Amino acid sequence: MTQLAEADRPDPLTLAASAGSATDRLLPGLTARVPVEDRAALERAAATFCVRFQPASLQRRALAAAAPALLDRAGAEPLARLLDLASDLGRRGRGGDATLVLAAVPRALRWLSDADDLSAWLAVVADVAERAPESLAAFAGETDHLLGRLGARGLAGFVGALIDLAAGRDDLRQALFSFRDPRAETLLLREAADVPLARLEPRLKGLVTALWSVEPVIRPSPAGGAQTARRSSFDGRILFLPDAYRGVRGEAAVTLIKAAALHMGAHLAHSGRPRPAKALKPLQIALISLLEDARAEHLALAQYPGLNRLWLPFHTAPAEGGTAEALLARLARVLADPDHEDPDPFVQKGRAAFREARDSWDDPDVLRRIGSGLGNDLGQMRLQFNSKTYAVQPLYRDDNQGLWQFDLPDQEQGAPDEISISVRIEQRETQTEEPDRRRTEDGGDEVSPVRLTEADPEAAFPLCRLPEWDAVSHRHRPDWVQVMEHPSRMAPAAIIDRLLSERPDLVRRTSALIRQARAGQPVRLRRQAEGDRLDLEAALRARIDLAGGHAPDTRVYETRTLNSRDLSVLVLLDISESTKDTIDGSPVSVFSILREAAAHLAAAMAEAGDPFALAAFHSDGREDLRYHRIKRFGEAFDTRAKARLAGLRPGLSTRMGGALRMATRDIQPMATHRRLVLIITDGEPSDIDISDPKHLVEDARKAVQEAAGAGIDVFCVGLDRTGDTYLSRIFGRQNVIQIDRVTALPDRLPKLYLRLTR
Amino acid sequence: MVLTPYFLADEPFYAPQADEIELFTAAHALRQPVMIKGPTGCGKTRFIEHMAWRLGRPLVTVACHEDMTASDLVGRFLLDADGTVWHDGPLTLAVRHGAICYLDEIVEARQDTTVVIHPLTDDRRILPLDKKNELVRAHPDFQLVISYNPGYQSVLKDLKESTKQRFVGLDFTYPDAAREARIVAREAGIDEATATLLVKVADRSRNLKGHGLDEGASTRMLIQAGRLMARGISLTAACQMALVLPITDDPDLRASLTDAIAACQ
């Protein structure tokens, strides 16, 4: 039968009917365990599977090994889905992949508790088979590693992130899925953190500040290899904390990170400056550090006895085990817990020496002497100590690097680098105005010929990194998008002035509108219940009422109030590739209309005197979100700003969420009553490294919510007539206005602006 | 006398921090306008009450707020059966009859409102009532006192330089830990050990001033917490209710404070 050509094969169901149940043939003895209502679906899937794979095939054997447990754990539905998936792979000539998937099931079952989990896992497997077929083998091979850390639900987000990170490159996907590329491990750690450090950071910072009046800087630990045990670390006021501790999740993870941060807080408060390690041996350093840990905690506990409830449960070293590491952990425990008994002579000696020195703990030489002595004792006992593999115990304590000054050049710390990079970015950020100004002065003048400075990729520099929302895993991917500042292209400002002068009627009408709505005019409110003066008319009427024996209206005051428009506006232009499209056969492009509208709006806003900024964005993958600041808050809408607006060139993609976050950052510091981001876009969010357009829609939606959370209104003008659904999804129905005729934009925009800002 | 209700009958409890009683007494003898600076709930109002009692003067207190107009301070015409009649506002009352007028949280008032006090604070000591076309000369016993909270200082809420320079100032802070514990213990009716613990908690929150909190927990808040504890509420619950929840809406800061309270005990 298997030699028949595909077209000649009989229908599986007919075949099944003729040869008895396919399920029975495939999985003898299991049919009875399938509920009657599920049998039909399973039978169909089994029949297809039987047709696809020979009775003695690897696939059938792998299935036979996995199916009983799967059926017991999750029921018939996931089993049918698994059969379908395997059959589908077989149909596409990927029988080997089908075997790998089937063989991964028993391992996956160790981590998946119910049918929902299993379905979620199968969906991810199908996703990988579809979007990253070359990596399916690597993915199946990491089943334990991934599910153990992430569970089925976390897996979807992680896989999505990996695929996006690879941006369509097969080789990079393979490197990531097989963890040859270290970024995969970094990403995994972030996804694995039930409680991401980013979420806890403000809380920890507040806590350390409250207890010791030192505001620490908290940073995630630099990613280490998969083998190194993760410990916290500190360097001055910078606390490095792991995104997650392996195998610790949920509330336990919160407690652990808190314990670690507070232990380092105790060091910040009580340990003083790092001391030269000089000629100390690694074992002596470990011992002196251990004593210093105990000292700092004792002093902290004297002030905050409650911290013991946090730290003490981590001290679990039993009074047994004779390796150097075990003895160090035992010593740490007896120093922390006065009630714990440990008969080992070394441990006893350490405890006694530490206690006796209580009055001279402040003298660093004392602990040094005790630690060196204890180190000699261990040496006498001929115990091996490997400083490379030694990890400070218990888990919450830091790696002690912050206590010492090592002369060695290799301090194996990526951390200081990271800091210096961030400092550099900040400096560049404040310097950006300077180069802009210079360029305008020599090139942006009205009379000079058009001088387009071609954007030089060398000259672009990263402004900052922004998170992106992953709707699948419901969490942010931190630092995911890089915002690049490309040098502004300049074109003569006369281009913009000409646009404005070509439509004098529009300029006039806009000015009239604005005059009516001008800010800050005093308004007289009459017939008020309270006020600073009498409203004569109302007072007279009340008096007449009184004289006539009627109850008077007591609202007889008038008051003056300022009709103030206290707002700032940031206009954000989408200048992606699609704005190059021309409109209905005319040579006019969407972009040129957009620019004209922006020019008119900017002129109107400048007249109204409202603080406003003008920016444009497009993107080229997540590493290059280009954000052009055409006019910043506080700058005038002058020749320079006009030259930047004239110099804009459309192209590339639309990573809207990142651009909105950047705009939010820009407008956030404005101390006005209302802050409004007005985005003008012609298309759905998209980017070259994103296969699922929904991802960017959801990310933009999240960015709008974040802005709302910061008290910033976001309003969208859509130029895409078909864009109703996704724009409403992103901004909310009432915050989107669709403009049917793009050419009407310059007319409509100033009016819309006034309506929004009343 | 119209000011009779404004006399304080009983001595308000006040624990001096330094020589502020002598300083204020001297300023009062000269009828100098006094500005009392200090964080919320550190005892500014209690101090003024104590001083009014000690000096035997009536005290007219106005809690300033942003909707307060000049009329709210000086007075306005009201309607009655015979027509319009003028009613003195609290400031005019104090000026006419000679009381200490205490404008609490003056920065909360609009700047155009606060200028009405200017002619009262220099040698003229007069209060012009424009609407009534009257010039009220201050009673010899009249004294103006304002409280000013630099913690709230922002672009929007600050006193004009021309207003500030008319006053002599007294700087208040939270009392030192031992004194504050004694105050809390006495006012709340709890033992000093418990009060000391409360003060320790408050100190933690004061470390967060400028790091998320505008102000730390005040002595007043501690007294509230202490009173709850005197009724058998646990320290954790009392601090949560009287301190953490009122002081911030930020969930992270609340968590930090809750953790800090747990660490203290």
Side-chain angles (χ1 to χ4, degrees):
Chain A
M1 188 170 62
T2 48
Q3 278 114 28
L4 289 175
E6 185 89 12
D8 301 331
R9 283 180 182 162
D11 175 60
L13 281 179
T14 326
L15 195 78
S18 65
S21 160
T23 318
D24 270 345
R25 276 184 290 131
L26 193 58
L27 307 163
L30 285 187
T31 317
R33 284 150 69 176
V34 180
V36 180
E37 64 271 20
D38 292 339
R39 281 186 193 165
L42 185 60
E43 178 65 18
R44 247 193 310 276
T48 318
F49 190 89
C50 287
V51 172
R52 198 63 63 206
F53 302 110
Q54 297 175 19
S57 66
L58 287 171
Q59 292 84 359
R60 284 219 192 181
R61 266 185 280 162
L63 176 71
L70 173 63
L71 196 60
D72 284 348
R73 182 76 61 85
E77 203 256 313
L79 180 57
R81 287 185 61 177
L82 178 67
L83 293 176
D84 283 341
L85 175 61
S87 305
D88 188 47
L89 288 170
R91 183 178 59 77
R92 289 193 267 166
R94 292 165 57 191
D97 283 350
T99 316
L100 285 172
V101 171
L102 291 165
V105 171
R107 278 179 287 139
L109 280 174
R110 271 188 248 160
W111 307 101
L112 305 172
S113 51
D114 56 19
D116 287 347
D117 265 5
L118 202 77
S119 296
W121 178 70
L122 282 170
V124 178
V125 176
D127 192 38
V128 175
E130 184 66 37
R131 292 162 73 198
E134 76 296 325
S135 305
L136 191 66
F139 175 70
E142 298 285 347
T143 301
D144 274 311
H145 180 208
L146 292 174
L147 285 176
R149 304 277 287 279
L150 297 166
R153 311 295 154 93
L155 193 59
F158 173 70
V159 162
L162 277 197
I163 291 176
D164 287 348
L165 184 64
R169 283 175 49 201
D170 294 5
D171 54 334
L172 184 52
R173 274 205 304 261
Q174 255 179 321
L176 287 166
F177 272 100
S178 56
F179 286 81
R180 274 184 282 120
D181 188 312
R183 282 177 291 177
E185 182 68 26
T186 311
L187 205 60
L188 177 62
L189 273 169
R190 276 184 185 155
E191 293 285 326
D194 237 0
V195 183
L197 180 63
R199 213 188 78 203
L200 274 178
E201 186 204 315
R203 179 173 166 184
L204 297 174
K205 208 171 176 173
L207 180 54
V208 173
T209 313
L211 294 188
W212 291 293
S213 204
V214 184
E215 188 176 37
V217 177
I218 294 180
R219 293 269 181 275
S221 302
Q227 304 311 316
T228 45
R230 293 178 70 78
R231 283 290 185 280
S232 51
S233 190
F234 69 98
D235 179 6
R237 278 167 61 180
I238 308 167
L239 310 185
F240 296 96
L241 284 158
D243 280 313
Y245 286 88
R246 192 161 300 167
V248 186
R249 301 175 68 97
E251 206 41 49
V254 178
T255 312
L256 177 52
I257 290 188
K258 205 153 75 178
L262 287 174
H263 173 76
M264 291 191 286
H267 277 313
L268 295 191
H270 301 292
S271 289
R273 302 174 62 81
R275 310 197 163 274
K278 285 187 195 153
L280 289 172
K281 297 193 189 88
L283 176 59
Q284 289 170 325
I285 287 187
L287 274 161
I288 300 168
S289 305
L290 189 154
L291 296 171
E292 178 57 32
D293 282 345
R295 186 188 81 101
E297 286 188 3
H298 270 279
L299 294 174
L301 284 168
Q303 208 181 355
Y304 304 114
L307 294 179
N308 228 359
R309 285 193 298 275
L310 196 59
W311 287 332
L312 210 50
F314 288 99
H315 288 270
T316 52
E320 59 193 33
T323 63
E325 283 80 6
L327 286 171
L328 285 175
R330 290 167 69 177
L331 178 59
R333 182 171 182 181
V334 296
L335 294 184
D337 183 358
D339 299 333
H340 179 67
E341 284 308 325
D342 191 321
D344 184 89
F346 168 79
V347 173
Q348 297 264 14
K349 183 177 174 190
R351 175 190 262 184
F354 183 71
R355 278 191 187 158
E356 275 165 29
R358 176 178 282 271
D359 294 334
S360 41
W361 277 353
D362 284 346
D363 181 354
D365 291 337
V366 171
L367 291 191
R368 206 176 178 119
R369 187 171 42 73
I370 300 175
S372 304
L374 290 170
N376 288 340
D377 290 351
L378 285 183
Q380 303 271 316
M381 292 153 75
R382 301 274 183 273
L383 288 177
Q384 292 290 316
F385 177 78
N386 184 346
S387 63
K388 293 269 188 293
T389 56
Y390 169 68
V392 180
Q393 291 298 334
L395 197 52
Y396 71 85
R397 285 190 176 168
D398 62 273
D399 62 8
N400 296 326
Q401 297 286 318
L403 298 175
W404 300 100
Q405 272 175 354
F406 295 100
D407 301 329
L408 306 166
D410 59 329
Q411 293 191 19
E412 55 183 43
Q413 285 179 6
D417 276 342
E418 193 180 314
I419 299 308
S420 59
I421 288 169
S422 65
V423 169
R424 213 175 305 136
I425 290 172
E426 277 163 31
Q427 286 170 342
R428 292 296 298 264
E429 210 165 358
T430 54
Q431 286 168 358
T432 50
E433 281 189 8
E434 199 45 39
D436 270 358
R437 193 166 304 139
R438 221 174 300 129
R439 202 168 299 115
T440 323
E441 274 158 15
D442 40 53
D445 221 337
E446 285 183 40
V447 284
S448 68
V450 181
R451 187 184 131 181
L452 293 178
T453 24
E454 193 57 48
D456 173 11
E458 300 286 317
F461 67 86
L463 208 51
C464 62
R465 300 197 74 95
L466 297 170
E468 190 161 282
W469 178 251
D470 183 351
V472 180
S473 65
H474 272 272
R475 56 167 72 127
H476 282 102
R477 296 174 183 167
D479 300 339
W480 190 256
V481 176
Q482 176 160 259
V483 184
M484 299 294 288
E485 174 124 343
H486 287 260
S488 308
R489 290 188 222 222
M490 297 294 205
I495 296 174
I496 300 298
D497 286 328
R498 196 166 58 241
L499 281 178
L500 292 171
S501 63
E502 270 169 6
R503 307 271 306 269
D505 54 324
L506 181 59
V507 174
R508 220 173 19 248
R509 266 187 292 132
T510 311
S511 301
L513 273 172
I514 299 234
R515 265 196 303 279
Q516 287 167 19
R518 173 150 291 160
Q521 277 179 340
V523 180
R524 195 167 161 195
L525 300 173
R526 313 189 74 159
R527 302 186 68 82
Q528 302 292 307
E530 288 191 359
D532 16 350
R533 67 189 69 195
L534 277 180
D535 176 349
L536 261 186
E537 212 170 290
L540 279 173
R541 179 164 313 189
R543 186 75 196 90
I544 293 164
D545 284 345
L546 273 175
H550 302 291
D553 183 346
T554 54
R555 291 173 300 164
V556 295
Y557 300 100
E558 67 172 52
T559 183
R560 285 161 82 82
T561 172
L562 288 180
N563 172 20
S564 60
R565 284 161 27 111
D566 187 17
L567 85 155
S568 40
V569 183
L570 189 148
V571 180
L572 184 61
L573 307 172
D574 163 11
I575 54 165
S576 56
E577 181 72 24
S578 51
T579 58
K580 282 184 185 167
D581 293 351
T582 54
I583 299 160
D584 304 333
S586 75
V588 182
S589 69
V590 172
F591 172 76
S592 59
I593 301 280
L594 192 70
R595 193 174 62 176
E596 185 185 345
H600 279 288
L601 183 59
M605 290 190 290
E607 176 139 352
D610 296 332
F612 76 101
L614 201 56
F617 76 96
H618 45 186
S619 60
D620 190 18
R622 70 184 184 90
E623 287 296 328
D624 190 8
L625 171 64
R626 301 184 184 185
Y627 184 83
H628 306 277
R629 291 183 173 125
I630 301 162
K631 176 199 166 304
R632 295 159 193 255
F633 288 107
E635 278 181 352
F637 185 56
D638 56 4
T639 317
R640 221 178 304 147
K642 286 175 186 170
R644 277 185 221 126
L645 178 59
L648 284 182
R649 292 291 175 271
L652 308 174
S653 312
T654 318
R655 208 170 193 105
M656 193 183 283
L660 283 170
R661 282 190 189 92
M662 200 57 212
T664 306
R665 282 187 170 203
D666 272 2
I667 202 171
Q668 187 124 33
M670 297 305 290
T672 50
H673 176 64
R674 219 181 143 198
R675 290 166 295 177
L676 174 72
V677 172
L678 179 61
I679 178 171
I680 306 171
T681 178
D682 76 322
E684 190 170 9
S686 67
D687 211 335
I688 45 164
D689 53 350
I690 298 293
S691 47
D692 178 8
K694 263 191 279 173
H695 168 72
L696 286 180
V697 168
E698 290 305 314
D699 171 55
R701 177 176 152 84
K702 187 73 184 171
V704 170
Q705 289 167 357
E706 288 160 16
I712 295 162
D713 300 325
V714 183
F715 194 90
C716 171
V717 178
L719 306 179
D720 172 11
R721 266 165 282 181
T722 59
D724 251 344
T725 24
Y726 64 83
L727 288 180
S728 301
R729 170 94 189 136
I730 296 174
F731 299 96
R733 186 176 298 280
Q734 68 280 21
N735 293 327
V736 178
I737 180 168
Q738 290 286 347
I739 293 204
D740 308 339
R741 278 185 314 116
V742 175
T743 43
L745 184 63
D747 274 301
R748 294 282 302 277
L749 203 53
K751 281 186 223 162
L752 173 74
Y753 160 74
L754 283 168
R755 206 188 79 207
L756 286 175
T757 57
R758 279 279 158 78
Chain B
M1 174 182 183
V2 285
L3 286 177
T4 309
Y6 295 93
F7 281 95
L8 288 109
D10 303 316
E11 176 182 357
F13 169 73
Y14 179 77
Q17 295 184 22
D19 51 357
E20 67 270 20
I21 291 182
E22 293 75 43
L23 292 175
F24 188 90
T25 310
H28 178 75
L30 297 165
R31 304 296 186 263
Q32 282 174 330
V34 179
M35 164 196 290
I36 300 188
K37 289 189 177 195
T40 308
C42 70
K44 300 189 293 287
T45 303
R46 178 61 67 87
F47 171 68
I48 291 303
E49 287 174 358
H50 179 81
M51 289 312 296
W53 175 85
R54 184 180 275 261
L55 297 165
R57 301 271 181 242
L59 176 69
V60 176
T61 302
V62 183
C64 300
H65 55 89
E66 59 184 5
D67 288 334
M68 197 174 72
T69 62
S71 309
D72 291 329
L73 272 183
V74 298
R76 57 163 58 92
F77 281 106
L78 293 173
L79 278 190
D80 73 0
D82 303 319
T84 54
V85 277
W86 174 263
H87 276 243
D88 277 347
L91 179 64
T92 314
L93 192 73
V95 172
R96 246 189 243 287
H97 305 286
I100 297 176
C101 183
Y102 176 50
L103 303 180
D104 193 11
E105 303 284 4
I106 184 118
V107 271
E108 293 294 320
R110 293 212 311 253
Q111 289 196 346
D112 56 331
T113 307
T114 51
V115 293
V116 305
I117 63 177
H118 282 194
L120 279 171
T121 48
D122 50 34
D123 291 341
R124 294 173 287 169
R125 285 184 48 99
I126 50 169
L127 177 63
L129 304 177
D130 296 339
K131 286 164 205 151
K132 201 171 168 236
N133 207 10
E134 184 191 347
L135 201 63
V136 185
R137 290 190 188 283
H139 187 283
D141 285 344
F142 167 76
Q143 188 190 16
L144 185 66
V145 181
I146 63 175
S147 79
Y148 172 63
N149 190 339
Y152 287 159
Q153 221 166 46
S154 72
V155 191
L156 301 171
K157 283 190 176 165
D158 192 11
L159 280 185
K160 281 183 175 200
E161 206 53 39
S162 60
T163 309
K164 281 188 210 169
Q165 296 202 0
R166 291 161 184 273
F167 290 83
V168 298
L170 281 175
D171 199 10
F172 275 55
T173 54
Y174 302 113
D176 64 63
R179 185 175 287 127
E180 189 170 23
R182 276 202 302 280
I183 295 171
V184 173
R186 185 191 182 281
E187 295 271 294
I190 52 176
D191 60 81
E192 269 196 38
T194 313
T196 306
L197 198 52
L198 278 172
V199 170
K200 192 161 149 189
V201 167
D203 270 341
R204 309 287 71 80
S205 74
R206 289 168 194 166
N207 281 344
L208 287 172
K209 180 177 171 177
H211 301 280
L213 289 184
D214 288 337
E215 297 248 330
S218 61
T219 313
R220 177 170 31 223
M221 284 180 139
L222 297 187
I223 294 170
Q224 303 285 26
R227 287 188 177 145
L228 289 169
M229 291 180 72
R231 295 190 64 89
I233 307 288
S234 72
L235 176 86
T236 307
C239 286
Q240 196 68 26
M241 188 175 170
L243 212 142
V244 177
L245 288 176
I247 213 169
T248 176
D249 293 325
D250 182 301
D252 289 324
L253 273 177
R254 281 186 182 172
S256 303
L257 280 170
T258 308
D259 288 343
I261 291 166
C264 284
Q265 48 175 334

